[in-house]
Amino acid sequence: MSPSFHIPYILPTALLALALVLKLPTFLRASRDPDVRATTLLLIWATAVLVVITPVNIERLNVLTGVPNIASPWAYSFLTAFCATGLTMIMRWREAPSVGRRRRIRRIYWIYAGIVAVLWLTFILADVPTARVYDLDTYYAGTPWMREHILLYIAAHTVSSLVAVSMLWKWFPEVADRWLKAGVVFLQLGFASGLVFDGAKLAAIGARWSGHDWDAVSTRAAPPFALLEAALVALGFIVPQAGPFLQKWIRDRREYRRLAPLWHALSGLTPAAAEARFGPWTPLDLRLLQRRQRIHDALRMLGPYVDPALHQQAREAARAGYGVPDADADGVAGAVTISAAISTYQRGGPPVAQLQGPQGSAVVGGHIEGIASALHRPRILQDVRRRMTSTESAHHHG
């Protein structure tokens, strides 16, 4: 076979391995969480299956161990463990924790552990001296004990796929969360692909028994569906967990960047004691929390220099000049007021006289997102200041 034949194996294997690497930090932090532990195991089994069934690795195992076809029980054992873990994860999602659920999950693990043991036993009893990298299932379809070995893994995989598809089909209408619903769709497609794989294998084996040669169905048609199943099922279990995390990360990243202009404007006012430096690997939510805290600390320091009258004047100018909603007008007015307060503070000017009404940071503290967005639009701020100056001149001459 040409090297290009191995590429379809490499791509999903690399994706699963990457997903496993990304999942490991969560596993290390929450290894006692059954869902986290099951997801990690599922990724391990799926990755292991694809690693073992890659043709070049089958050849390497045969050479390293000196046992022809030793990759067969390894690959089928990992596939069986993958099936068991997938079924139990669906049960964890569908059902609330209970004694009955725990008992059924334990029963599944024992049944599939027994299947793994029988897979190894039948392989040991079988006489398979000729190494077959691509057509093992059809080449040994009539060999005692190896025949049972092959049929056992296909039967176990078929039953688990059928049960999984049935459970998911009944559960789908009840799922409300969009990320979980997407995961269920991926799982349904994945397990359905597994059934196509099983059907192709059984068709090729049945043809061998009847004296026909359908080996291409087993060696060419079936493998892509196995690869597709591994990728789709892994996605089905990853998306409901990674989706909300990614959504929150994008939201936090957007807010972190949106607050940057305000933070830079206030950075010179932050007390030195608050300058705790974080490394590049610090979680984004912690860096966002720190940025918000520093902004509020700076606003408290700047409070005596914030002029509520100037804020009200800027707010009216923003609404009159642009017809913006109240929330946007508060942001523009806050940006104008803070810029003036920073200028006064840096010049060493006196604090604003204590006036009636909201004071200091209370005037702007509740609108930091809007203020930060307004600082992105310096032209609007300049126009508002110009309008305020024109209004003051008109009132003075009047």
Side-chain angles (χ1 to χ4, degrees):
M1 293 286 180
S2 65
S4 62
F5 182 77
H6 299 164
I7 292 176
Y9 293 86
I10 295 171
L11 294 178
T13 305
L15 289 174
L16 284 169
L18 177 61
L20 180 59
V21 170
L22 294 176
K23 190 68 180 176
L24 280 178
T26 304
F27 174 74
L28 295 175
R29 288 196 305 268
S31 58
R32 295 188 177 183
D33 186 325
D35 290 341
V36 172
R37 191 165 56 241
T39 305
T40 306
L41 284 174
L42 183 93
L43 291 172
I44 290 173
W45 303 142
T47 305
V49 170
L50 295 186
V51 168
V52 174
I53 67 172
T54 303
V56 66
N57 290 332
I58 293 176
E59 294 174 347
R60 286 171 181 167
L61 274 174
N62 289 338
V63 173
L64 288 174
T65 61
V67 179
N69 304 306
I70 188 64
S72 175
W74 276 114
Y76 299 155
S77 295
F78 288 136
L79 180 62
T80 302
F82 173 82
C83 294
T85 308
L87 284 177
T88 57
M89 281 201 66
I90 295 172
M91 293 175 64
R92 292 182 193 279
W93 283 1
R94 286 189 61 193
E95 306 174 30
S98 66
V99 175
R101 189 191 76 169
R102 189 161 54 248
R103 188 183 301 116
R104 286 192 297 275
I105 288 175
R106 192 180 299 116
R107 187 181 301 130
I108 288 174
Y109 281 138
W110 277 112
I111 289 172
Y112 278 82
I115 292 172
V116 171
V118 175
L119 283 172
W120 281 94
L121 177 62
T122 51
F123 178 78
I124 292 171
L125 294 174
D127 182 19
V128 286
T130 305
R132 308 301 299 184
V133 175
Y134 303 104
D135 61 347
L136 179 138
D137 292 340
T138 51
Y139 186 85
Y140 287 112
T143 302
W145 295 112
M146 195 61 182
R147 174 185 55 224
E148 287 75 14
H149 175 87
I150 295 166
L151 291 176
L152 179 60
Y153 98 80
I154 295 176
H157 185 254
T158 301
V159 170
S160 68
S161 297
L162 284 171
V163 173
V165 168
S166 175
M167 287 196 299
L168 292 167
W169 183 263
K170 293 177 182 178
W171 185 39
F172 183 79
E174 305 172 11
V175 179
D177 181 80
R178 62 172 182 164
W179 290 110
L180 185 55
K181 192 177 274 295
V184 171
V185 171
F186 278 122
L187 289 173
Q188 287 177 316
L189 293 174
F191 286 116
S193 299
L195 290 173
V196 176
F197 167 83
D198 296 329
K201 286 288 184 179
L202 287 174
I205 291 170
R208 272 284 180 145
W209 290 344
S210 61
H212 298 86
D213 184 359
W214 287 11
D215 287 14
V217 175
S218 176
T219 59
R220 291 286 187 175
F225 288 99
L227 301 177
L228 186 62
E229 177 192 14
L232 289 174
V233 171
L235 279 174
F237 287 118
I238 293 169
V239 164
Q241 299 180 48
F245 171 82
L246 182 60
Q247 186 177 26
K248 181 179 182 302
W249 186 90
I250 292 173
R251 186 171 60 247
D252 288 350
R253 169 59 63 181
R254 188 181 298 120
E255 183 176 358
Y256 187 79
R257 289 186 172 183
R258 190 166 57 240
L259 291 176
L262 179 57
W263 161 236
H264 287 307
L266 297 170
S267 59
L269 308 177
T270 307
E275 294 290 339
R277 295 188 176 275
F278 289 151
W281 300 107
T282 303
L284 177 60
D285 56 351
L286 187 56
R287 285 186 282 145
L288 175 60
L289 178 64
Q290 184 200 49
R291 175 161 286 185
R292 293 183 67 92
Q293 185 60 50
R294 288 180 177 181
I295 288 173
H296 284 293
D297 289 344
L299 289 178
R300 279 194 293 271
M301 289 187 63
L302 198 63
Y305 301 89
V306 174
D307 187 348
L310 178 64
H311 182 274
Q312 182 62 30
Q313 185 183 0
R315 188 174 186 275
E316 292 173 358
R319 294 189 64 187
Y322 295 94
V324 297
D326 288 350
D328 292 341
D330 285 331
V332 172
V336 171
T337 308
I338 285 177
S339 297
I342 292 173
S343 179
T344 303
Y345 176 86
Q346 291 176 338
R347 291 197 317 266
V352 177
Q354 296 298 316
L355 303 175
Q356 297 295 323
Q359 300 173 4
S361 61
V363 174
V364 294
H367 308 286
I368 62 172
E369 290 86 358
I371 294 170
S373 296
L375 289 172
H376 274 291
R377 299 173 289 178
R379 182 174 298 178
I380 293 179
L381 299 183
Q382 291 174 4
D383 290 345
V384 169
R385 291 190 186 99
R386 191 180 304 115
R387 180 174 292 275
M388 291 167 59
T389 302
S390 301
T391 304
E392 287 180 356
S393 298
H395 288 168
H396 176 72
H397 291 296

